Amino acid sequence: MTEEAPHLLTEEQDGILIATLNRPDKLNAISRQMMDLLTEAVLHFRETPELKVMLIRSAGRYFSSGADLRGGNQNIVSPVSTGGSARGIRENHRLNLNNMQQLWDEIEHIEKPFVVAHHAMCVGGGLEMSLSCDFRLAAKRAAYAFPEGLFGVLPASGGVSRLTRICGPHWARWLIMANKPAPADMALTMGLVHQVYEDETFEDDVMDFCRHLAKQNPEQMGAAKVAIELCAEVGRDSARHVERMANSALMLNPDYIRGMERYLKGVGGKGAGSSGKG
């Protein structure tokens, strides 16, 4: 009997941890094994200073078809499996489902950038995972959908909450209430993805973007990730406090002084905004 390949593959390149969903024959459905391996990869990324960016990608006809509903009942929530109570269902969403909510939260909280690259269709749990990442990149042939509406329920592992926060209620209604898909160009209009690349150059374009991120100042990246999330949640005055507080720490970093010195030398000592004409 042929041994099954791991459901997730990882490699490190130029300070980038690349995690590849590896169930193309199952449309990269998210299994328990895939979640365990992805959790290991995320924690390794978190604890390894040399790793600057984590890229999540896949191959095959789908980026991901969502949770593996055929691979065991962990991903199937029913009144029977949760004791016949609404409270049981809520607790199941929070604690079970292969720990999806916990891992998506951790991806959102780690002060390093996560990039997800959609080369093809991304639905359900795969889209919920993607919404927790910092950057979403799409090939032209990619598309997005939440099939949960077919079953009369909601995408409740961050699907409604993160989609609404990122794209607003207008587009959340399109994907969730209307149960309509969004092709890549439409997803760009929605704000669901940051960039759409040509299919033929997609892999190279994604790696170029990740290498660009890996060159950025890690302290600034971490502070920016926290500050942006906070500013999205609070009022205008509090948001200004957040950015001042974050910058007060960054400007004490020796990297800031050295960076300013290099920048000023690069513009001939004229200072930022100078045209060089006198």
Side-chain angles (χ1 to χ4, degrees):
M1 183 176 178
T2 304
E3 185 176 349
E4 185 181 23
H7 292 188
L8 186 89
L9 303 175
T10 59
E11 61 179 295
E12 298 177 15
Q13 186 181 136
D14 300 328
I16 304 161
L17 176 59
I18 304 170
T20 304
L21 311 187
N22 190 41
R23 300 185 77 200
D25 56 325
K26 302 293 185 182
L27 304 182
N28 292 310
I30 301 173
S31 64
R32 173 81 254 183
Q33 183 194 136
M34 185 183 289
M35 284 297 298
D36 289 344
L37 293 173
L38 183 59
T39 299
E40 288 180 17
V42 167
L43 298 183
H44 174 62
F45 175 61
R46 184 187 69 187
E47 301 300 329
T48 308
E50 295 76 20
L51 292 172
K52 307 299 184 184
V53 178
M54 182 164 176
L55 168 64
I56 302 173
R57 66 183 187 184
S58 67
R61 291 195 296 121
Y62 270 56
F63 169 82
S64 174
S65 59
D68 184 2
L69 300 180
R70 298 179 183 275
N73 61 12
Q74 268 277 62
N75 289 318
I76 300 176
V77 181
S78 71
V80 174
S81 67
T82 54
S85 72
R87 181 182 63 81
I89 292 173
R90 291 193 297 270
E91 285 294 281
N92 186 280
H93 277 308
R94 186 171 69 86
L95 300 173
N96 295 323
L97 298 178
N98 289 339
N99 296 318
M100 284 183 177
Q101 290 202 6
Q102 288 84 347
L103 184 57
W104 307 164
D105 286 348
E106 187 64 13
I107 288 173
E108 202 168 52
H109 294 154
I110 291 172
E111 293 183 29
K112 293 182 181 182
F114 286 79
V115 178
V116 62
H118 304 123
H119 73 287
M121 191 75 184
C122 175
V123 305
L127 180 49
E128 289 182 307
M129 173 188 68
S130 300
L131 291 169
S132 71
C133 295
D134 300 289
F135 298 97
R136 289 166 293 281
L137 307 177
K140 279 190 173 294
R141 63 173 172 260
Y144 303 88
F146 275 125
E148 286 81 354
L150 298 173
F151 317 130
V153 295
L154 303 176
S157 290
V160 178
S161 55
R162 287 193 175 96
L163 180 67
T164 302
R165 180 159 54 88
I166 291 168
C167 299
H170 178 75
W171 288 113
R173 290 186 182 98
W174 179 266
L175 280 172
I176 296 172
M177 290 179 67
N179 196 22
K180 297 285 284 184
D185 287 339
M186 185 178 185
L188 183 63
T189 299
M190 294 165 60
L192 179 58
V193 300
H194 290 87
Q195 185 65 276
V196 176
Y197 296 110
E198 296 295 331
D199 296 331
E200 296 76 16
T201 62
F202 182 62
E203 290 187 14
D204 290 338
D205 290 332
V206 166
M207 286 306 298
D208 285 345
F209 178 76
C210 289
R211 292 188 185 100
H212 168 77
L213 284 183
K215 294 176 183 177
Q216 306 309 304
N217 184 284
E219 290 296 327
Q220 186 268 355
M221 293 281 277
K225 184 166 179 174
V226 173
I228 289 167
E229 288 296 318
L230 284 171
C231 287
E233 300 292 335
V234 301
R236 183 185 61 182
D237 287 348
S238 294
R240 288 286 292 122
H241 295 325
V242 167
E243 63 187 18
R244 288 179 16 245
M245 185 71 72
N247 237 23
S248 68
L250 290 172
M251 294 180 81
L252 293 174
N253 187 338
D255 285 347
Y256 166 71
I257 303 299
R258 289 193 290 266
M260 284 297 295
E261 289 173 349
R262 286 194 301 269
Y263 178 73
L264 292 173
K265 288 178 181 178
V267 295
K270 302 290 185 180
S274 171
S275 65
K277 298 177 181 178

Coordinates of all heavy atoms in Angstrom, one line a residue, residues 93-133:
H93 N -18.2 25.5 17.7 CA -17.6 26.4 16.8 C -16.3 27.0 17.4 O -15.3 27.2 16.7 CB -18.5 27.6 16.4 CG -19.5 27.2 15.3 ND1 -19.1 26.7 14.1 CD2 -20.8 27.3 15.3 CE1 -20.2 26.5 13.4 NE2 -21.2 26.9 14.0
R94 N -16.3 27.3 18.7 CA -15.2 28.0 19.3 C -14.1 27.1 19.6 O -12.9 27.5 19.4 CB -15.7 28.7 20.6 CG -14.7 29.5 21.3 CD -15.3 30.3 22.5 NE -15.7 29.4 23.6 CZ -14.8 29.0 24.6 NH1 -13.6 29.5 24.6 NH2 -15.2 28.2 25.5
L95 N -14.3 25.9 20.0 CA -13.3 25.0 20.5 C -12.9 23.8 19.6 O -11.8 23.3 19.6 CB -13.7 24.4 21.8 CG -14.0 25.4 22.9 CD1 -14.6 24.7 24.2 CD2 -12.7 26.2 23.3
N96 N -13.8 23.4 18.7 CA -13.5 22.3 17.9 C -13.2 22.7 16.4 O -12.4 23.5 16.2 CB -14.7 21.3 18.0 CG -14.8 20.7 19.4 OD1 -13.8 20.5 20.1 ND2 -16.0 20.5 19.8
L97 N -13.9 22.0 15.5 CA -13.6 22.3 14.0 C -12.1 22.3 13.7 O -11.6 23.2 13.0 CB -14.2 23.7 13.6 CG -15.8 23.8 13.8 CD1 -16.2 25.2 13.4 CD2 -16.5 22.7 12.9
N98 N -11.4 21.3 14.3 CA -10.0 21.1 14.1 C -9.2 22.4 14.5 O -8.2 22.7 13.9 CB -9.7 20.8 12.6 CG -10.1 19.4 12.3 OD1 -10.3 18.5 13.2 ND2 -10.3 19.1 11.0
N99 N -9.7 23.1 15.5 CA -9.0 24.3 16.1 C -8.9 25.4 15.1 O -7.9 26.2 15.2 CB -7.7 23.9 16.7 CG -7.8 22.9 17.8 OD1 -8.6 23.1 18.7 ND2 -6.9 21.9 17.9
M100 N -9.8 25.5 14.1 CA -9.6 26.5 13.1 C -9.7 27.9 13.7 O -8.8 28.7 13.4 CB -10.8 26.4 12.1 CG -10.6 25.2 11.1 SD -11.9 25.2 9.9 CE -11.3 23.8 8.8
Q101 N -10.6 28.2 14.6 CA -10.7 29.5 15.1 C -9.5 29.9 15.9 O -9.0 31.1 15.7 CB -12.0 29.7 16.0 CG -13.3 29.6 15.3 CD -14.4 30.2 16.0 OE1 -14.2 30.8 17.1 NE2 -15.6 30.1 15.5
Q102 N -8.9 29.0 16.6 CA -7.7 29.3 17.4 C -6.5 29.6 16.5 O -5.8 30.6 16.7 CB -7.4 28.2 18.4 CG -8.3 28.1 19.6 CD -9.6 27.3 19.2 OE1 -9.9 27.0 18.1 NE2 -10.3 26.9 20.3
L103 N -6.4 28.8 15.4 CA -5.2 29.0 14.5 C -5.4 30.3 13.7 O -4.4 31.0 13.5 CB -5.0 27.8 13.6 CG -3.8 27.9 12.7 CD1 -2.5 28.1 13.6 CD2 -3.7 26.7 11.9
W104 N -6.6 30.6 13.2 CA -6.8 31.8 12.5 C -6.5 33.0 13.3 O -5.9 34.0 12.9 CB -8.2 31.9 11.9 CG -8.8 30.7 11.1 CD1 -10.1 30.5 10.8 CD2 -8.1 29.7 10.4 NE1 -10.3 29.4 10.0 CE2 -9.1 28.9 9.7 CE3 -6.8 29.3 10.3 CZ2 -8.7 27.7 9.0 CZ3 -6.4 28.2 9.6 CH2 -7.4 27.4 8.9
D105 N -7.0 33.0 14.6 CA -6.7 34.1 15.5 C -5.2 34.2 15.7 O -4.7 35.4 15.8 CB -7.3 33.8 16.9 CG -8.8 34.0 16.9 OD1 -9.4 34.6 15.9 OD2 -9.5 33.6 17.9
E106 N -4.4 33.1 15.8 CA -3.0 33.2 16.1 C -2.3 33.8 14.8 O -1.4 34.7 15.0 CB -2.4 31.8 16.3 CG -0.9 31.8 16.7 CD -0.7 32.5 18.0 OE1 -1.6 32.8 18.8 OE2 0.5 32.8 18.3
I107 N -2.7 33.4 13.6 CA -2.2 34.0 12.4 C -2.4 35.6 12.4 O -1.5 36.3 12.1 CB -2.8 33.4 11.2 CG1 -2.3 32.0 11.0 CG2 -2.6 34.2 9.9 CD1 -3.0 31.2 9.9
E108 N -3.6 36.0 12.9 CA -3.9 37.4 12.9 C -3.1 38.1 14.0 O -2.8 39.3 13.8 CB -5.4 37.5 13.2 CG -6.0 38.8 12.8 CD -7.5 38.8 12.8 OE1 -8.1 38.5 13.9 OE2 -8.2 39.2 11.8
H109 N -2.7 37.4 15.0 CA -2.0 38.1 16.1 C -0.5 38.1 16.1 O 0.1 39.0 16.7 CB -2.5 37.5 17.5 CG -3.9 37.7 17.8 ND1 -4.6 36.8 18.6 CD2 -4.8 38.6 17.4 CE1 -5.9 37.2 18.7 NE2 -6.0 38.3 18.0
I110 N 0.1 37.2 15.4 CA 1.5 37.1 15.3 C 2.0 38.4 14.5 O 1.5 38.7 13.5 CB 2.0 35.8 14.6 CG1 1.7 34.6 15.4 CG2 3.5 35.9 14.2 CD1 2.0 33.3 14.8
E111 N 3.1 39.0 15.1 CA 3.5 40.3 14.6 C 4.5 40.1 13.4 O 5.6 40.7 13.4 CB 4.1 41.2 15.7 CG 3.0 41.6 16.7 CD 3.6 42.5 17.7 OE1 4.6 43.2 17.5 OE2 3.1 42.5 18.9
K112 N 4.2 39.3 12.5 CA 4.9 39.1 11.3 C 3.9 38.9 10.1 O 2.7 38.5 10.4 CB 5.8 37.8 11.3 CG 6.9 37.8 12.3 CD 7.7 36.5 12.2 CE 8.8 36.3 13.1 NZ 9.6 35.1 12.9
P113 N 4.3 39.2 8.9 CA 3.3 39.2 7.8 C 3.1 37.7 7.3 O 4.0 37.0 7.1 CB 3.9 40.0 6.7 CG 5.4 40.0 7.0 CD 5.6 39.8 8.5
F114 N 1.8 37.4 7.1 CA 1.3 36.2 6.4 C 0.8 36.6 5.1 O 0.0 37.5 4.9 CB 0.3 35.5 7.2 CG 0.8 34.8 8.5 CD1 1.0 35.6 9.6 CD2 0.9 33.5 8.5 CE1 1.5 35.0 10.8 CE2 1.4 32.8 9.7 CZ 1.7 33.6 10.8
V115 N 1.2 35.9 4.0 CA 0.8 36.1 2.7 C 0.1 34.8 2.2 O 0.6 33.7 2.5 CB 1.9 36.4 1.7 CG1 1.4 36.5 0.3 CG2 2.7 37.6 2.2
V116 N -1.1 34.9 1.6 CA -1.7 33.7 1.0 C -1.9 33.9 -0.5 O -2.3 35.0 -0.9 CB -3.1 33.4 1.7 CG1 -4.1 34.5 1.6 CG2 -3.7 32.1 1.3
A117 N -1.6 32.9 -1.2 CA -1.6 33.0 -2.7 C -2.6 32.1 -3.3 O -2.5 30.9 -3.2 CB -0.2 32.7 -3.2
H118 N -3.6 32.7 -3.9 CA -4.7 31.9 -4.5 C -4.5 31.7 -6.0 O -4.7 32.7 -6.7 CB -6.1 32.6 -4.2 CG -6.3 32.8 -2.8 ND1 -6.6 34.1 -2.3 CD2 -6.4 32.0 -1.7 CE1 -6.8 34.0 -1.0 NE2 -6.6 32.8 -0.6
H119 N -4.1 30.5 -6.4 CA -4.0 30.3 -7.8 C -5.2 29.8 -8.5 O -5.3 29.8 -9.7 CB -2.9 29.2 -8.1 CG -3.3 27.9 -7.7 ND1 -3.5 27.5 -6.4 CD2 -3.7 26.8 -8.5 CE1 -3.9 26.2 -6.4 NE2 -4.0 25.8 -7.7
A120 N -6.2 29.4 -7.7 CA -7.5 28.9 -8.2 C -8.6 29.1 -7.2 O -8.4 29.9 -6.2 CB -7.3 27.4 -8.5
M121 N -9.7 28.4 -7.3 CA -10.9 28.6 -6.5 C -10.5 28.4 -5.0 O -9.8 27.5 -4.6 CB -11.9 27.5 -6.9 CG -13.3 27.8 -6.3 SD -14.1 29.1 -7.1 CE -15.6 29.3 -6.1
C122 N -11.1 29.3 -4.2 CA -10.9 29.3 -2.7 C -12.2 29.5 -2.1 O -12.9 30.5 -2.3 CB -9.9 30.4 -2.3 SG -9.7 30.6 -0.5
V123 N -12.7 28.5 -1.3 CA -14.0 28.5 -0.7 C -14.0 28.1 0.8 O -13.0 27.5 1.3 CB -15.0 27.6 -1.5 CG1 -15.0 28.0 -3.0 CG2 -14.7 26.2 -1.3
G124 N -15.1 28.4 1.5 CA -15.3 27.9 2.8 C -14.2 28.2 3.8 O -13.7 29.3 3.9
G125 N -13.7 27.1 4.4 CA -12.7 27.2 5.4 C -11.4 27.7 4.9 O -10.6 28.4 5.6
G126 N -11.1 27.4 3.6 CA -9.9 28.0 3.0 C -10.0 29.5 2.9 O -9.0 30.2 3.0
L127 N -11.1 30.0 2.6 CA -11.3 31.5 2.5 C -11.3 32.1 3.9 O -10.7 33.1 4.1 CB -12.6 31.8 1.8 CG -13.0 33.3 1.7 CD1 -11.9 34.1 1.1 CD2 -14.2 33.4 0.8
E128 N -11.8 31.4 4.9 CA -11.8 31.9 6.3 C -10.3 32.0 6.8 O -9.9 32.9 7.4 CB -12.6 31.0 7.2 CG -14.1 31.1 7.0 CD -14.9 30.3 7.9 OE1 -14.7 29.0 8.0 OE2 -15.8 30.8 8.6
M129 N -9.5 30.9 6.5 CA -8.1 31.0 6.8 C -7.5 32.2 6.1 O -6.7 33.0 6.7 CB -7.4 29.7 6.3 CG -5.9 29.8 6.5 SD -5.0 28.4 5.7 CE -5.4 28.7 4.0
S130 N -7.8 32.4 4.8 CA -7.2 33.5 4.1 C -7.5 34.9 4.6 O -6.7 35.8 4.6 CB -7.6 33.4 2.6 OG -7.2 32.1 2.0
L131 N -8.7 35.0 5.1 CA -9.1 36.3 5.7 C -8.3 36.7 6.9 O -8.2 37.8 7.3 CB -10.6 36.3 6.0 CG -11.6 36.2 4.9 CD1 -13.0 35.9 5.3 CD2 -11.6 37.5 4.1
S132 N -7.7 35.7 7.6 CA -6.9 36.0 8.8 C -5.5 36.4 8.4 O -4.7 36.9 9.2 CB -6.8 34.8 9.7 OG -6.1 33.7 9.2
C133 N -5.1 36.2 7.1 CA -3.8 36.6 6.7 C -3.7 38.1 6.4 O -4.7 38.7 6.1 CB -3.4 35.8 5.4 SG -3.2 34.0 5.7

